[in-house]
Amino acid sequence: MSIDSCSELPDLDSCRNEKAALILKFVAMASILLAGIIGVAIPLIGKKRKFLRTDTNLFFAAKAFAAGVILATGFVHMLPDATSALTHTCLPKNPWSKFPFSGFIAMMAALGTLLADFLSTQYYERKHEKQIQAVRVESVDMAAEAGIVPVAGKEDHHGKVFGEEDGSGIHIVGMHAHVAQHRHSHASGQEGCEGQASNFSDVESHSHMQSHSHGFDNDDDDNGIRHVVVSQVLELGIISHSIIIGLSLGVSQSPCTIRPLLGALSFHQFFEGFALGGCISQAKFGSLHSIVMACFFAITAPVGVGIGTGISKFYNPNSPRALVIEGILDSISAGILIYMALVDLIAADFLSKRMRCNGRLQVVSYIALFLGAGLMASLAAWA
């Protein structure tokens, strides 16, 4: 392609209509914003509704569907778009056509997300351990002030030291602070499933203690830390590509291009919001923190559309600089989304004990996963 043809603006065809395109862009901003708000709000509001809670099988299956949507977005939408941009005829063949830059950048983005995931988890684990130590010291001091002194070597007929309960949880009598050192040996296979079922009654019989929130159970702590990290890294990946796809829609002056994008992006934004809202809910952030994260997600794509609309008069998507920037950002987004979908959403849920122990949930979740991925992939035929 000649330099002249590369410098020409796109959409110079029979479908180009700036006035109609502008109206559709405003409709798209409203539709995408509404879809994002509804999607991210359902899991957050559902914490107070029994059938929408994050610990139900319905939510588990819906999250699997959303994970399929995110995975298809990375593989079928973002990565091919990145390849198309970085191998465009307006770019010099050397080096852009000599090396698969889109795949390489996506791979490095996935590995970078892994590193960020690891470092964030380490940070929150160290922070949580310091909090545990501080509470332990405070509990010991309060026990000393109350005159509660553990009797060395004194054991009951079950062989437990004074003050120790089943599961090695040390409770200081008369205090709301609990210093627990629970060590659960999770059995594998059918025995583990049977053990899990038998433990439900024990958990329910101690429901009155939940208001005091132990906070030091190893499994709960690990899961809580993972949910915090996953929600933040997932939001970063979703926001980065939401801005990109918003810009792509905003700079277009063709109603024929915008109409299919409007429906595809609304669908995609709803289920990405649902997955993100579920992770935020499971992370148990405070109300303000949750609202800020939800609002930040919901407005990014509409803001991208608005920015694209503002620069559409002088922006040329076919310019070499625009193609390189678009291709690199699409590749990075694809890598982040693929990693998050496979590792932190699909693997974390589908390899969990809950999935192994529930055959019906396995069938429904796999159907939902493939259905979500298939539907989102099929939208590539139109958008």
Side-chain angles (χ1 to χ4, degrees):
M1 183 177 289
S2 66
I3 296 177
D4 291 338
S5 60
C6 286
S7 63
E8 292 176 357
L9 290 173
D11 298 330
L12 293 176
D13 53 22
S14 58
C15 201
R16 181 185 175 94
N17 187 329
E18 295 185 13
K19 186 176 180 179
L22 183 62
I23 295 174
L24 285 174
K25 289 173 189 178
F26 283 113
V27 174
M29 283 191 281
S31 175
I32 293 171
L33 177 64
L34 184 61
I37 291 174
I38 294 174
V40 75
I42 288 175
L44 297 179
I45 298 175
K47 290 189 293 186
K48 301 179 181 179
R49 301 289 185 274
K50 186 175 181 180
F51 70 98
L52 288 176
R53 283 167 46 190
T54 57
D55 58 352
T56 62
N57 289 343
L58 176 63
F59 175 81
F60 204 90
K63 190 178 175 184
F65 184 94
V69 170
I70 295 175
L71 184 65
T73 301
F75 269 122
V76 182
H77 292 267
M78 304 304 293
L79 194 55
D81 287 350
T83 303
S84 177
L86 294 178
T87 57
H88 200 280
T89 52
C90 289
L91 293 178
K93 289 187 177 181
N94 189 16
W96 300 109
S97 296
K98 301 294 184 181
F99 185 80
F101 281 100
S102 58
F104 175 76
I105 295 172
M107 177 187 70
M108 297 306 295
L111 295 178
T113 307
L114 171 64
L115 179 61
D117 212 346
F118 172 77
L119 293 177
S120 299
T121 303
Q122 292 291 306
Y123 168 76
Y124 281 107
E125 284 179 346
R126 286 196 296 268
K127 182 179 178 180
H128 190 68
E129 183 62 29
K130 290 179 181 178
Q131 293 174 346
I132 294 176
Q133 295 297 337
V135 172
R136 284 176 179 168
V137 171
E138 181 182 354
S139 300
V140 172
D141 291 342
M142 292 177 66
E145 291 176 3
I148 301 175
V149 181
V151 180
K154 184 176 180 179
E155 301 181 357
D156 61 14
H157 62 281
H158 294 294
K160 299 182 181 63
V161 179
F162 169 76
E164 185 178 355
E165 295 183 346
D166 292 335
S168 300
I170 302 174
H171 292 253
I172 299 174
V173 180
M175 300 172 58
H176 293 305
H178 305 284
V179 182
Q181 295 175 327
H182 301 292
R183 296 292 184 268
H184 302 288
S185 57
H186 295 286
S188 59
Q190 187 63 30
E191 292 181 0
C193 295
E194 292 173 356
Q196 185 184 42
S198 64
N199 285 336
F200 286 160
S201 59
D202 295 337
V203 173
E204 292 175 357
S205 66
H206 290 84
S207 60
H208 69 282
M209 299 172 63
Q210 291 178 353
S211 61
H212 299 306
S213 181
H214 290 271
F216 301 121
D217 183 276
N218 284 339
D219 296 324
D220 291 343
D221 289 347
D222 291 343
N223 288 334
I225 291 171
R226 286 300 304 149
H227 289 315
V228 169
V229 174
V230 167
S231 63
Q232 293 179 344
V233 177
L234 180 61
E235 172 142 354
L236 178 64
I238 291 176
I239 284 175
S240 63
H241 96 272
S242 292
I243 294 176
I244 295 169
I245 59 178
L247 282 170
S248 300
L249 188 152
V251 297
S252 176
Q253 300 289 10
S254 171
C256 298
T257 301
I258 297 174
R259 286 193 191 97
L261 279 176
L262 194 158
L265 295 185
S266 298
F267 174 85
H268 149 269
Q269 197 78 352
F270 173 83
F271 284 102
E272 280 194 345
F274 186 89
L276 179 61
C279 292
I280 294 173
S281 179
Q282 290 174 319
K284 294 180 173 61
F285 289 119
S287 297
L288 180 61
H289 195 156
S290 299
I291 292 172
V292 170
M293 291 183 70
C295 291
F296 201 59
F297 156 77
I299 65 173
T300 48
V303 167
V305 176
I307 294 173
T309 302
I311 65 174
S312 60
K313 293 292 185 181
F314 54 86
Y315 176 78
N316 178 16
N318 282 346
S319 69
R321 179 180 297 178
L323 289 168
V324 170
I325 293 174
E326 179 186 351
I328 291 175
L329 293 179
D330 280 347
S331 299
I332 293 173
S333 296
I336 294 174
L337 292 179
I338 290 169
Y339 172 87
M340 294 303 300
L342 288 175
V343 177
D344 286 330
L345 294 177
I346 297 174
D349 287 346
F350 281 71
L351 300 180
S352 66
K353 185 176 182 179
R354 178 177 181 176
M355 178 71 84
R356 296 199 310 269
C357 298
N358 192 330
R360 181 180 298 178
L361 180 61
Q362 291 176 20
V363 174
V364 173
S365 296
Y366 273 104
I367 291 174
L369 175 65
F370 281 93
L371 187 62
L375 287 177
M376 191 63 203
S378 66
L379 292 178
W382 298 280

